[in-house]
Amino acid sequence: MKEKIYFNHDGGVDDLVSLFLLLKMDTVELTGVSVIPADCYLEPAMFASRKIIDRFGNGGLDVAESNSRPKNPFPKDWRMHAFYVDALPILNESGKVETPVAEKLAHLHLAETVLATEEKTTLLFTGPLTDLARALDAAPEIEEKIERLVWMGGTFREAGNVHEPEHDGTAEWNVFWDPEAAARVWDSSIKIELVALESTNQVPLTLDVRERWAKERQHLGLDFLGQCYAMVPPLVHFSTNSTYYLWDVLTTAFVGNPDLVKVQTINSIVHTDGPSQGRTVETAEGRPVDVVYDVNRDAFFDYMTELAKKA
Ligand code: AGV
Ligand code: CA
């Protein structure tokens, strides 16, 4: 039987590529999709999501909008990426958008979908956890119907990826955007599987990967990957604040193929205030989370490339 997945994302290039790849996995069934305006603007991210489902899915889905708000907003330049994906000719060939916008807001859509699904649901989150925290407050009964949460978020290294005034650089962005939401989910009994910077640092966007997709662009899905990853800066000489990694795609690939990575259980807490807000810290008093800390880089790129070829 196929694993039931609910996907909440925040409209970045790798979030939208993740949606595409989920639609191509035959081991999973997407039960719902929602979009939070964190590392994106909501309107283009909603359109892009609906068009990706139209083009690469089999219908039957709607997409819910979140009205969640940040504690620490993302930089505008990064949020613009959703406009570029939404405008790709591959997604606009038909001239229409069929996948509907859901009537309910994202957190209520999540709760409703989880409760309406007979089996337990795996939650896949590739943006902040705000909608899950709100769903748990609005409908605590969903907790026992959640199989696990797979989240791109956090790090236990010294260096996070937040380089902002009044911060010490120890946080990962998806936690930093809404640290209280992460702490709320840490307080629940949900099994948490974290794809943290430890592993995503091992999958930067590099030129050899781009060249590989370019060479085989006669495959529609690889052309789509190539177009999407043309929008963001690769790692060439050294990593900067804007260097792009395949953060969310690794998280999504982990759901489809757990053999790609290594996992270790760590007891942790989330800092919600001060210059380290959004930092995840290992401590014996913390709650257990399963941390993906290592990945077979070549096997990962092979896996996602083969999946995309199915389009
Ligand atoms: O921290 C990684 C998260 C992932 O969910 N996002 C991007 C991925 O979708 C935020 C982010 C960190 N650095 C970035 C980000 C960058 N250089 N460009 C865009 N987004
Ligand atoms: Ca994201």
Side-chain angles (χ1 to χ4, degrees), residues 39-75:
D39 198 4
C40 69
Y41 290 94
L42 188 60
E43 211 173 75
M46 283 293 296
F47 274 123
S49 301
R50 295 163 63 206
K51 291 172 188 176
I52 287 169
I53 294 168
D54 282 355
R55 176 96 213 201
F56 300 109
N58 305 310
L61 284 168
D62 55 11
V63 182
E65 298 178 315
S66 167
N67 66 349
S68 294
R69 298 180 309 197
K71 183 168 185 211
N72 300 295
F74 273 103

mmCIF file of all heavy atoms in Angstrom, residues 39-75:
data_model
loop_
_atom_site.group_PDB
_atom_site.id
_atom_site.type_symbol
_atom_site.label_atom_id
_atom_site.label_comp_id
_atom_site.label_asym_id
_atom_site.label_seq_id
_atom_site.Cartn_x
_atom_site.Cartn_y
_atom_site.Cartn_z
ATOM 1 N N ASP A 39 9.341 31.526 2.294
ATOM 2 C CA ASP A 39 10.414 31.806 1.331
ATOM 3 C C ASP A 39 9.818 31.996 -0.075
ATOM 4 O O ASP A 39 10.343 31.480 -1.059
ATOM 5 C CB ASP A 39 11.416 30.642 1.352
ATOM 6 C CG ASP A 39 12.765 31.016 0.737
ATOM 7 O OD1 ASP A 39 12.948 32.184 0.376
ATOM 8 O OD2 ASP A 39 13.622 30.118 0.631
ATOM 9 N N CYS A 40 8.676 32.688 -0.143
ATOM 10 C CA CYS A 40 7.999 32.918 -1.433
ATOM 11 C C CYS A 40 6.953 34.007 -1.235
ATOM 12 O O CYS A 40 6.671 34.412 -0.107
ATOM 13 C CB CYS A 40 7.283 31.651 -1.917
ATOM 14 S SG CYS A 40 5.835 31.184 -0.921
ATOM 15 N N TYR A 41 6.363 34.461 -2.340
ATOM 16 C CA TYR A 41 5.099 35.209 -2.289
ATOM 17 C C TYR A 41 3.994 34.225 -2.587
ATOM 18 O O TYR A 41 4.160 33.292 -3.372
ATOM 19 C CB TYR A 41 5.131 36.383 -3.268
ATOM 20 C CG TYR A 41 6.090 37.454 -2.788
ATOM 21 C CD1 TYR A 41 7.410 37.479 -3.224
ATOM 22 C CD2 TYR A 41 5.687 38.389 -1.850
ATOM 23 C CE1 TYR A 41 8.306 38.428 -2.738
ATOM 24 C CE2 TYR A 41 6.575 39.350 -1.365
ATOM 25 C CZ TYR A 41 7.873 39.366 -1.809
ATOM 26 O OH TYR A 41 8.751 40.289 -1.320
ATOM 27 N N LEU A 42 2.854 34.423 -1.927
ATOM 28 C CA LEU A 42 1.814 33.393 -1.964
ATOM 29 C C LEU A 42 1.210 33.191 -3.357
ATOM 30 O O LEU A 42 1.026 32.058 -3.800
ATOM 31 C CB LEU A 42 0.692 33.745 -0.959
ATOM 32 C CG LEU A 42 -0.353 32.661 -0.749
ATOM 33 C CD1 LEU A 42 0.269 31.380 -0.218
ATOM 34 C CD2 LEU A 42 -1.447 33.151 0.200
ATOM 35 N N GLU A 43 0.917 34.300 -4.033
ATOM 36 C CA GLU A 43 0.183 34.186 -5.295
ATOM 37 C C GLU A 43 0.943 33.368 -6.349
ATOM 38 O O GLU A 43 0.406 32.387 -6.872
ATOM 39 C CB GLU A 43 -0.154 35.589 -5.808
ATOM 40 C CG GLU A 43 -1.434 35.637 -6.590
ATOM 41 C CD GLU A 43 -1.822 37.077 -6.921
ATOM 42 O OE1 GLU A 43 -1.204 37.680 -7.821
ATOM 43 O OE2 GLU A 43 -2.738 37.586 -6.271
ATOM 44 N N PRO A 44 2.188 33.730 -6.669
ATOM 45 C CA PRO A 44 2.891 32.929 -7.680
ATOM 46 C C PRO A 44 3.183 31.505 -7.202
ATOM 47 O O PRO A 44 3.189 30.576 -8.019
ATOM 48 C CB PRO A 44 4.197 33.708 -7.911
ATOM 49 C CG PRO A 44 4.381 34.517 -6.671
ATOM 50 C CD PRO A 44 2.995 34.881 -6.207
ATOM 51 N N ALA A 45 3.392 31.318 -5.906
ATOM 52 C CA ALA A 45 3.677 29.966 -5.400
ATOM 53 C C ALA A 45 2.427 29.085 -5.498
ATOM 54 O O ALA A 45 2.526 27.886 -5.779
ATOM 55 C CB ALA A 45 4.179 30.033 -3.961
ATOM 56 N N MET A 46 1.261 29.678 -5.266
ATOM 57 C CA MET A 46 0.014 28.919 -5.436
ATOM 58 C C MET A 46 -0.188 28.546 -6.903
ATOM 59 O O MET A 46 -0.489 27.395 -7.235
ATOM 60 C CB MET A 46 -1.182 29.769 -4.951
ATOM 61 C CG MET A 46 -1.339 29.847 -3.457
ATOM 62 S SD MET A 46 -1.780 28.256 -2.711
ATOM 63 C CE MET A 46 -3.394 27.950 -3.440
ATOM 64 N N PHE A 47 -0.023 29.537 -7.785
ATOM 65 C CA PHE A 47 -0.198 29.247 -9.219
ATOM 66 C C PHE A 47 0.794 28.184 -9.676
ATOM 67 O O PHE A 47 0.421 27.232 -10.364
ATOM 68 C CB PHE A 47 -0.038 30.529 -10.050
ATOM 69 C CG PHE A 47 -1.307 31.326 -10.181
ATOM 70 C CD1 PHE A 47 -1.369 32.652 -9.775
ATOM 71 C CD2 PHE A 47 -2.447 30.750 -10.729
ATOM 72 C CE1 PHE A 47 -2.543 33.384 -9.891
ATOM 73 C CE2 PHE A 47 -3.637 31.478 -10.851
ATOM 74 C CZ PHE A 47 -3.678 32.805 -10.432
ATOM 75 N N ALA A 48 2.050 28.342 -9.296
ATOM 76 C CA ALA A 48 3.070 27.379 -9.733
ATOM 77 C C ALA A 48 2.720 25.975 -9.232
ATOM 78 O O ALA A 48 2.826 24.994 -9.971
ATOM 79 C CB ALA A 48 4.444 27.806 -9.237
ATOM 80 N N SER A 49 2.266 25.866 -7.985
ATOM 81 C CA SER A 49 1.915 24.551 -7.426
ATOM 82 C C SER A 49 0.765 23.922 -8.207
ATOM 83 O O SER A 49 0.802 22.740 -8.554
ATOM 84 C CB SER A 49 1.499 24.694 -5.958
ATOM 85 O OG SER A 49 2.544 25.251 -5.196
ATOM 86 N N ARG A 50 -0.262 24.715 -8.466
ATOM 87 C CA ARG A 50 -1.437 24.184 -9.186
ATOM 88 C C ARG A 50 -1.058 23.771 -10.610
ATOM 89 O O ARG A 50 -1.519 22.745 -11.121
ATOM 90 C CB ARG A 50 -2.539 25.237 -9.186
ATOM 91 C CG ARG A 50 -3.059 25.526 -7.768
ATOM 92 C CD ARG A 50 -3.832 26.835 -7.697
ATOM 93 N NE ARG A 50 -5.027 26.799 -8.522
ATOM 94 C CZ ARG A 50 -5.605 27.902 -9.039
ATOM 95 N NH1 ARG A 50 -5.088 29.103 -8.820
ATOM 96 N NH2 ARG A 50 -6.698 27.776 -9.769
ATOM 97 N N LYS A 51 -0.184 24.559 -11.249
ATOM 98 C CA LYS A 51 0.226 24.225 -12.622
ATOM 99 C C LYS A 51 1.121 22.985 -12.655
ATOM 100 O O LYS A 51 1.062 22.197 -13.610
ATOM 101 C CB LYS A 51 0.955 25.425 -13.246
ATOM 102 C CG LYS A 51 0.041 26.617 -13.522
ATOM 103 C CD LYS A 51 0.868 27.834 -13.955
ATOM 104 C CE LYS A 51 -0.003 29.091 -14.037
ATOM 105 N NZ LYS A 51 0.830 30.290 -14.362
ATOM 106 N N ILE A 52 1.967 22.807 -11.641
ATOM 107 C CA ILE A 52 2.812 21.603 -11.574
ATOM 108 C C ILE A 52 1.926 20.367 -11.409
ATOM 109 O O ILE A 52 2.155 19.326 -12.046
ATOM 110 C CB ILE A 52 3.847 21.736 -10.433
ATOM 111 C CG1 ILE A 52 4.931 22.742 -10.828
ATOM 112 C CG2 ILE A 52 4.474 20.372 -10.084
ATOM 113 C CD1 ILE A 52 5.862 23.161 -9.691
ATOM 114 N N ILE A 53 0.891 20.477 -10.582
ATOM 115 C CA ILE A 53 -0.034 19.344 -10.410
ATOM 116 C C ILE A 53 -0.784 19.078 -11.720
ATOM 117 O O ILE A 53 -0.931 17.926 -12.140
ATOM 118 C CB ILE A 53 -1.000 19.606 -9.239
ATOM 119 C CG1 ILE A 53 -0.212 19.634 -7.924
ATOM 120 C CG2 ILE A 53 -2.095 18.544 -9.188
ATOM 121 C CD1 ILE A 53 -1.008 20.160 -6.729
ATOM 122 N N ASP A 54 -1.221 20.137 -12.385
ATOM 123 C CA ASP A 54 -1.889 19.972 -13.681
ATOM 124 C C ASP A 54 -0.997 19.230 -14.664
ATOM 125 O O ASP A 54 -1.420 18.304 -15.342
ATOM 126 C CB ASP A 54 -2.208 21.341 -14.307
ATOM 127 C CG ASP A 54 -3.425 22.015 -13.684
ATOM 128 O OD1 ASP A 54 -4.089 21.394 -12.835
ATOM 129 O OD2 ASP A 54 -3.695 23.182 -14.051
ATOM 130 N N ARG A 55 0.252 19.669 -14.745
ATOM 131 C CA ARG A 55 1.146 19.169 -15.798
ATOM 132 C C ARG A 55 1.688 17.777 -15.485
ATOM 133 O O ARG A 55 1.849 16.939 -16.370
ATOM 134 C CB ARG A 55 2.327 20.143 -15.969
ATOM 135 C CG ARG A 55 3.379 19.711 -16.963
ATOM 136 C CD ARG A 55 3.146 20.341 -18.320
ATOM 137 N NE ARG A 55 3.566 19.474 -19.407
ATOM 138 C CZ ARG A 55 3.850 19.888 -20.629
ATOM 139 N NH1 ARG A 55 3.746 21.152 -20.936
ATOM 140 N NH2 ARG A 55 4.217 19.037 -21.570
ATOM 141 N N PHE A 56 1.986 17.521 -14.210
ATOM 142 C CA PHE A 56 2.709 16.282 -13.875
ATOM 143 C C PHE A 56 1.919 15.320 -12.993
ATOM 144 O O PHE A 56 2.397 14.229 -12.701
ATOM 145 C CB PHE A 56 4.044 16.631 -13.199
ATOM 146 C CG PHE A 56 4.960 17.465 -14.057
ATOM 147 C CD1 PHE A 56 5.209 18.804 -13.753
ATOM 148 C CD2 PHE A 56 5.566 16.913 -15.182
ATOM 149 C CE1 PHE A 56 6.052 19.574 -14.546
ATOM 150 C CE2 PHE A 56 6.415 17.686 -15.985
ATOM 151 C CZ PHE A 56 6.658 19.024 -15.663
ATOM 152 N N GLY A 57 0.734 15.713 -12.516
ATOM 153 C CA GLY A 57 -0.043 14.860 -11.625
ATOM 154 C C GLY A 57 -1.181 14.148 -12.338
ATOM 155 O O GLY A 57 -1.276 14.177 -13.566
ATOM 156 N N ASN A 58 -2.044 13.518 -11.535
ATOM 157 C CA ASN A 58 -3.185 12.789 -12.103
ATOM 158 C C ASN A 58 -4.510 13.355 -11.615
ATOM 159 O O ASN A 58 -5.495 12.637 -11.509
ATOM 160 C CB ASN A 58 -3.115 11.306 -11.717
ATOM 161 C CG ASN A 58 -1.799 10.690 -12.120
ATOM 162 O OD1 ASN A 58 -1.377 10.831 -13.263
ATOM 163 N ND2 ASN A 58 -1.132 10.033 -11.178
ATOM 164 N N GLY A 59 -4.542 14.627 -11.256
ATOM 165 C CA GLY A 59 -5.780 15.260 -10.788
ATOM 166 C C GLY A 59 -6.122 14.865 -9.358
ATOM 167 O O GLY A 59 -5.322 14.241 -8.657
ATOM 168 N N GLY A 60 -7.315 15.256 -8.913
ATOM 169 C CA GLY A 60 -7.801 14.843 -7.599
ATOM 170 C C GLY A 60 -7.270 15.640 -6.426
ATOM 171 O O GLY A 60 -7.620 15.373 -5.279
ATOM 172 N N LEU A 61 -6.393 16.629 -6.667
ATOM 173 C CA LEU A 61 -5.845 17.420 -5.568
ATOM 174 C C LEU A 61 -6.341 18.861 -5.669
ATOM 175 O O LEU A 61 -6.604 19.365 -6.756
ATOM 176 C CB LEU A 61 -4.320 17.436 -5.640
ATOM 177 C CG LEU A 61 -3.574 16.186 -5.181
ATOM 178 C CD1 LEU A 61 -2.106 16.278 -5.602
ATOM 179 C CD2 LEU A 61 -3.673 16.007 -3.661
ATOM 180 N N ASP A 62 -6.459 19.504 -4.496
ATOM 181 C CA ASP A 62 -6.554 20.958 -4.505
ATOM 182 C C ASP A 62 -5.365 21.488 -3.698
ATOM 183 O O ASP A 62 -4.633 20.713 -3.094
ATOM 184 C CB ASP A 62 -7.915 21.446 -3.966
ATOM 185 C CG ASP A 62 -8.227 20.910 -2.584
ATOM 186 O OD1 ASP A 62 -7.325 20.338 -1.929
ATOM 187 O OD2 ASP A 62 -9.373 21.074 -2.138
ATOM 188 N N VAL A 63 -5.166 22.794 -3.700
ATOM 189 C CA VAL A 63 -4.024 23.386 -2.999
ATOM 190 C C VAL A 63 -4.537 24.468 -2.053
ATOM 191 O O VAL A 63 -5.292 25.353 -2.469
ATOM 192 C CB VAL A 63 -2.999 23.992 -3.990
ATOM 193 C CG1 VAL A 63 -1.795 24.547 -3.234
ATOM 194 C CG2 VAL A 63 -2.538 22.949 -5.009
ATOM 195 N N ALA A 64 -4.144 24.370 -0.782
ATOM 196 C CA ALA A 64 -4.639 25.305 0.230
ATOM 197 C C ALA A 64 -3.640 26.423 0.483
ATOM 198 O O ALA A 64 -2.423 26.216 0.461
ATOM 199 C CB ALA A 64 -4.935 24.555 1.527
ATOM 200 N N GLU A 65 -4.189 27.610 0.764
ATOM 201 C CA GLU A 65 -3.369 28.790 1.065
ATOM 202 C C GLU A 65 -3.224 28.954 2.568
ATOM 203 O O GLU A 65 -4.201 28.845 3.302
ATOM 204 C CB GLU A 65 -4.058 30.065 0.563
ATOM 205 C CG GLU A 65 -4.275 30.132 -0.915
ATOM 206 C CD GLU A 65 -5.012 31.416 -1.288
ATOM 207 O OE1 GLU A 65 -5.995 31.774 -0.614
ATOM 208 O OE2 GLU A 65 -4.593 32.047 -2.259
ATOM 209 N N SER A 66 -2.029 29.293 2.995
ATOM 210 C CA SER A 66 -1.808 29.619 4.396
ATOM 211 C C SER A 66 -1.881 31.130 4.597
ATOM 212 O O SER A 66 -1.473 31.896 3.726
ATOM 213 C CB SER A 66 -0.425 29.125 4.815
ATOM 214 O OG SER A 66 -0.065 29.666 6.062
ATOM 215 N N ASN A 67 -2.395 31.548 5.743
ATOM 216 C CA ASN A 67 -2.303 32.973 6.101
ATOM 217 C C ASN A 67 -1.369 33.162 7.294
ATOM 218 O O ASN A 67 -1.463 34.154 8.009
ATOM 219 C CB ASN A 67 -3.693 33.562 6.374
ATOM 220 C CG ASN A 67 -4.348 32.960 7.605
ATOM 221 O OD1 ASN A 67 -3.870 31.971 8.151
ATOM 222 N ND2 ASN A 67 -5.452 33.551 8.049
ATOM 223 N N SER A 68 -0.470 32.189 7.496
ATOM 224 C CA SER A 68 0.477 32.282 8.617
ATOM 225 C C SER A 68 1.470 33.420 8.405
ATOM 226 O O SER A 68 1.802 33.774 7.278
ATOM 227 C CB SER A 68 1.222 30.958 8.765
ATOM 228 O OG SER A 68 0.330 29.950 9.152
ATOM 229 N N ARG A 69 1.955 33.962 9.527
ATOM 230 C CA ARG A 69 2.846 35.127 9.478
ATOM 231 C C ARG A 69 4.169 34.837 10.176
ATOM 232 O O ARG A 69 4.237 34.025 11.096
ATOM 233 C CB ARG A 69 2.170 36.319 10.150
ATOM 234 C CG ARG A 69 0.889 36.729 9.449
ATOM 235 C CD ARG A 69 0.246 37.895 10.143
ATOM 236 N NE ARG A 69 0.097 37.646 11.571
ATOM 237 C CZ ARG A 69 -0.714 38.339 12.364
ATOM 238 N NH1 ARG A 69 -1.451 39.307 11.865
ATOM 239 N NH2 ARG A 69 -0.784 38.072 13.646
ATOM 240 N N PRO A 70 5.220 35.527 9.736
ATOM 241 C CA PRO A 70 6.547 35.265 10.291
ATOM 242 C C PRO A 70 6.844 36.006 11.586
ATOM 243 O O PRO A 70 6.290 37.069 11.839
ATOM 244 C CB PRO A 70 7.476 35.789 9.200
ATOM 245 C CG PRO A 70 6.723 36.907 8.559
ATOM 246 C CD PRO A 70 5.262 36.512 8.635
ATOM 247 N N LYS A 71 7.746 35.453 12.354
ATOM 248 C CA LYS A 71 8.432 36.255 13.352
ATOM 249 C C LYS A 71 9.621 36.953 12.675
ATOM 250 O O LYS A 71 9.872 38.124 12.914
ATOM 251 C CB LYS A 71 8.916 35.375 14.497
ATOM 252 C CG LYS A 71 9.582 36.158 15.603
ATOM 253 C CD LYS A 71 9.792 35.300 16.828
ATOM 254 C CE LYS A 71 10.341 36.124 17.978
ATOM 255 N NZ LYS A 71 11.206 35.304 18.840
ATOM 256 N N ASN A 72 10.319 36.204 11.808
ATOM 257 C CA ASN A 72 11.481 36.734 11.086
ATOM 258 C C ASN A 72 11.320 36.453 9.593
ATOM 259 O O ASN A 72 11.512 35.323 9.158
ATOM 260 C CB ASN A 72 12.769 36.071 11.588
ATOM 261 C CG ASN A 72 13.004 36.302 13.069
ATOM 262 O OD1 ASN A 72 13.209 37.422 13.503
ATOM 263 N ND2 ASN A 72 12.952 35.222 13.858
ATOM 264 N N PRO A 73 10.948 37.478 8.802
ATOM 265 C CA PRO A 73 10.660 37.227 7.382
ATOM 266 C C PRO A 73 11.896 36.906 6.536
ATOM 267 O O PRO A 73 13.002 37.326 6.855
ATOM 268 C CB PRO A 73 10.014 38.537 6.916
ATOM 269 C CG PRO A 73 10.371 39.563 7.922
ATOM 270 C CD PRO A 73 10.680 38.856 9.213
ATOM 271 N N PHE A 74 11.653 36.179 5.451
ATOM 272 C CA PHE A 74 12.705 35.869 4.479
ATOM 273 C C PHE A 74 13.055 37.106 3.654
ATOM 274 O O PHE A 74 12.199 37.960 3.416
ATOM 275 C CB PHE A 74 12.228 34.769 3.518
ATOM 276 C CG PHE A 74 12.479 33.376 4.018
ATOM 277 C CD1 PHE A 74 11.443 32.615 4.554
ATOM 278 C CD2 PHE A 74 13.740 32.807 3.941
ATOM 279 C CE1 PHE A 74 11.668 31.328 5.013
ATOM 280 C CE2 PHE A 74 13.975 31.510 4.394
ATOM 281 C CZ PHE A 74 12.938 30.771 4.934
ATOM 282 N N PRO A 75 14.315 37.158 3.164
ATOM 283 C CA PRO A 75 14.705 38.251 2.261
ATOM 284 C C PRO A 75 13.867 38.230 0.980
ATOM 285 O O PRO A 75 13.551 37.164 0.447
ATOM 286 C CB PRO A 75 16.168 37.935 1.924
ATOM 287 C CG PRO A 75 16.619 36.906 2.898
ATOM 288 C CD PRO A 75 15.404 36.205 3.416
#
